[in-house]
Amino acid sequence: GSDPVNVGVLLEDGAAVLGAGVAATCLGLCVATDSSVFDALGSISIGLSLGGVSFALIAKNRRLLLGQSMGKRKVNALRTLLESERSVRGIHDLKTVTVGPGISRFKAEVHFDSTQLALFYLKEGANQQQLVDSYKSAAAATDCNIQLQLLFLATSSLQGMLIAAEIDRLETLIITRFPEIRHVDIEPF
């Protein structure tokens, strides 16, 4: 299995049972032959079995101890998923870290396509008329510069909200498609 606790318990208990059997056998041989050589051999073999268990546990848990990345196939699948989204122009600094058995973290810097985000907003149509009215008001104002500056600030604020909403949507999409990923950190590039 992938759970290090279960593997550790199984290996350690197996070594303990084996060690008890070796110890009993070697003590029996010591008594029967009146030689302490079997006691020494038993101690050495028990020590070697415990050393073998420790090496097996290190090999099994190395990925978790070192915080290694998810497998290449999954990382490529994550990249493909993000790249298939129309709102994503590019992906930078994609990283995954395995933090436990079946538990990973994901981080990426995403270059969003602001035109696509604006098109998504316009498709929803929720505030489309308000946007048109803002442009008409700026064009008709006597002090056009101030109105255009206000409109620019409102548009910039809207862009930030659109990026935040898209990040939330992508994070939910990743967690849904890859349940082993428990923490997603997407930052705009």
Side-chain angles (χ1 to χ4, degrees), residues 2-49:
S2 64
D3 187 357
V5 174
N6 291 340
V7 173
V9 168
L10 177 70
L11 288 176
E12 289 169 358
D13 287 353
V17 169
L18 178 69
V22 168
T25 302
C26 288
L27 284 176
L29 288 171
C30 282
V31 170
T33 62
D34 199 30
S35 172
S36 61
V37 170
F38 294 106
D39 185 33
L41 290 175
S43 295
I44 291 170
S45 64
I46 291 170
L48 289 174
S49 73

Side-chain angles (χ1 to χ4, degrees), residues 111-123:
H111 185 181
F112 289 100
D113 186 334
S114 56
T115 302
Q116 281 299 327
L117 293 176
L119 288 172
F120 292 159
Y121 176 78
L122 292 174
K123 264 188 188 173

Side-chain angles (χ1 to χ4, degrees), residues 14 18 23 39 42-43 50 59 70 79 81 89 91 152 163 166 171 182:
L18 178 69
D39 185 33
S43 295
L50 291 175
M70 294 171 68
R79 181 178 293 282
L81 174 68
R89 183 177 281 176
I91 301 165
F152 176 75
I163 289 173
E166 186 63 8
E171 288 176 347
R182 304 286 169 82

